[in-house]
């Protein structure tokens, strides 16, 4: 078969021949890959920088995607940590890691949307006690996951959603998706009274935002949940001790590992239904898997989520 293969961590994957996968037990089966998203997590897997990286090469990256099984049905799968990912013509589907998709669904939209959308969906539904009527600020709201978070928070009943980021033009577009207010990162004092922060940035911006928001908060003892989801601005953040003492701030993380795998899967069908019904705005761009090297080079500049199609 053909696959996107990483043979060294300092270069992009190359489209080349690779041995077909073989099921090693009844708990897995070989499936055809239909579409797989080029998410930030896939990039960090491919360059060896993700914290789960084992340095094992060669590696086929790809953490999720839409696959077609021997029964000809489409499924969305989230793979376990593996060196045989979804950027290939075929991969191994482990038992209990996928859900069946409606027959009429667009595989490219699903492959583009599930990873960014589920980040806020699972965070709000499984990591905190989020209630309709609460208010939410989103740090890094202009990315794929942030744009989804604006829509997901509204979908789950948020009374007010504030999108925060660094690109003013992209921030303004969030109003069409339901954002009630948009602010740049140095204006986060305006979001001081929210109940929940969904943070895709971390790094120095999160540390600064925490101090700005806690300082400007009207009632400091009112609980605020800070959900750490992404780290595009840095893997560690300088958190001021006073921010934790001077307020009722609770910091939690959300991602694979923080929620049992079964719970993740239980959340996915509703999300698929919303995507299939066109209720979430999805930015997707299908690219042939054979062009993976070129896609790698321009993925950083595009606001559309690239989806590789074998
Ligand atoms: N834990 C989970 O379940 C989960 C799931 C999905 C994603 N994630 C993580 O969430 C993060 C975002 O994912 P994504 O899909 O939204 O990525 P994306 O589409 O590539 O968007 C990244 C966004 O981050 C912003 N950004 C990058 N560097 C920045 C910096 N130094 N300061 C401020 N903003 C910066 C960019 O803002 P501009 O608009 O200004 O360029 C861009 O909009 C990634 O770390 C990803 O791994 C986690």
């Amino acid at each position: 078969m053909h696959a996107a293969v990483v043979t060294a961590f300092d270069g992009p994957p190359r489209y080349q021949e690779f041995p077909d996968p073989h099921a090693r037990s009844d708990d897995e089966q070989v499936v055809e890959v239909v579409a797989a998203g080029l998410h930030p997590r896939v990039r960090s897997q491919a360059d060896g920088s993700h914290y789960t990286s084992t340095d094992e090469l060669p590696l086929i990256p790809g953490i999720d995607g839409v696959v077609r099984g021997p029964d000809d049905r489409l499924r969305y799968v989230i793979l376990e940590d593996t060196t045989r990912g979804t950027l290939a013509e075929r991969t191994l589907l482990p038992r209990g890691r996928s859900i069946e998709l409606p027959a009429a669904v667009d595989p490219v939209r699903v492959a583009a949307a599930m990873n960014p959308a589920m980040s806020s969906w699972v965070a709000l539904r499984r990591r905190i006690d989020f209630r309709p009527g609460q208010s939410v600020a989103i740090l890094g709201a202009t990315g794929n996951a942030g744009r989804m978070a604006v829509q997901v928070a509204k979908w789950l009943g948020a009374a007010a959603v504030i999108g925060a980021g660094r690109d003013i033009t992209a921030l303004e577009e969030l109003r069409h998706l339901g954002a009630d207010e948009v602010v740049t990162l140095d204006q986060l004092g305006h979001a001081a009274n929210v109940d929940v922060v969904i943070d895709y940035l971390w790094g120095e911006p999160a540390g600064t935002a925490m101090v700005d928001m806690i300082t400007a908060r009207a009632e400091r003892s009112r609980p605020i949940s800070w959900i750490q989801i992404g780290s595009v601005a840095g893997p560690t953040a300088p958190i001021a001790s006073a921010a934790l003492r001077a307020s009722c701030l609770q910091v939690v993380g959300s991602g694979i590992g923080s929620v049992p795998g079964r719970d993740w899967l239980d959340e996915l069908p509703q999300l698929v239904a919303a995507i299939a019904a066109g209720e979430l705005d999805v930015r997707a761009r299908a690219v042939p898997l054979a062009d993976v090297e070129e896609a790698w080079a321009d993925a950083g500049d595009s606001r559309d989520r690239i989806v590789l199609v074998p």
Side-chain angles (χ1 to χ4, degrees):
M1 69 168 185
H2 281 89
V5 182
V6 176
T7 52
F9 288 122
D10 58 358
R14 298 236 152 75
Y15 183 71
Q16 64 183 63
E17 297 240 6
F18 201 82
D20 261 278
H22 294 287
R24 292 154 297 190
S25 74
D26 290 345
D27 284 336
E28 58 186 20
Q29 62 182 163
V30 177
V31 289
E32 304 282 331
V33 178
V34 178
L38 180 40
H39 314 298
R41 167 79 174 75
V42 177
R43 290 174 157 276
S44 61
Q45 176 191 27
D47 68 17
S49 65
H50 195 261
Y51 63 88
T52 59
S53 177
T54 60
D55 292 343
E56 188 182 335
L57 292 173
L59 157 75
I60 299 174
I63 56 163
D64 72 343
V66 176
V67 299
R68 190 184 300 281
D71 58 3
D72 210 31
R73 295 185 179 160
L74 290 179
R75 306 188 72 82
Y76 171 72
V77 59
I78 305 175
L79 292 182
E80 292 161 325
D81 294 332
T82 175
T83 54
R84 302 220 50 150
T86 45
L87 301 194
E89 289 178 307
R90 284 174 280 287
T91 193
L92 287 170
L93 175 69
R95 189 190 295 276
R97 303 280 303 186
S98 66
I99 58 162
E100 190 174 330
L101 297 172
V105 81
D106 176 352
V108 170
R109 274 173 60 83
V110 171
M114 289 300 279
N115 170 271
M118 78 173 80
S119 67
S120 51
W121 182 279
V122 171
L124 290 176
R125 284 176 51 88
R126 296 281 177 169
R127 292 298 286 140
I128 63 167
D129 180 23
F130 177 71
R131 293 184 302 281
Q134 292 190 315
S135 52
V136 178
I138 298 160
L139 307 192
T142 55
N144 280 271
R147 293 177 81 257
M148 286 293 177
V150 170
Q151 302 173 77
V152 165
K154 280 287 182 177
W155 173 276
L156 296 177
V161 173
I162 303 175
R166 59 184 183 179
D167 182 325
I168 293 166
T169 308
L171 281 171
E172 284 301 329
E173 289 169 15
L174 298 177
R175 294 187 194 275
H176 305 298
L177 301 179
D180 299 280
E181 204 179 330
V182 294
V183 295
T184 51
L185 297 175
D186 57 356
Q187 297 171 331
L188 272 163
H190 293 291
N193 296 314
V194 296
D195 301 294
V196 178
V197 177
I198 295 179
D199 181 2
Y200 293 105
L201 300 181
W202 209 234
E204 188 276 331
T208 305
M210 241 177 239
V211 171
D212 290 351
M213 292 174 70
I214 296 306
T215 305
R217 198 161 173 80
E219 191 189 337
R220 295 227 185 129
S221 59
R222 210 176 108 227
I224 176 168
S225 298
W226 196 288
I227 318 178
Q228 200 298 308
I229 302 185
S231 49
V232 291
T236 57
I239 298 181
S241 60
L244 292 165
R245 286 197 306 274
S247 67
C248 189
L249 169 66
Q250 176 203 19
V251 182
V252 299
S254 184
I256 299 279
S258 68
V259 172
R262 187 68 253 166
D263 293 0
W264 274 96
L265 283 187
D266 286 349
E267 292 297 337
L268 302 186
Q270 283 187 71
L271 200 46
V272 168
I275 293 164
E279 294 183 48
L280 294 175
D281 184 73
V282 178
R283 296 190 62 163
R285 178 154 62 97
V287 173
L289 181 61
D291 296 337
V292 63
E293 265 188 80
E294 293 84 342
W296 220 261
D298 81 352
D301 305 330
S302 169
R303 290 199 180 277
D304 294 338
R305 177 55 38 89
I306 287 180
V307 175
L308 293 158
V309 179

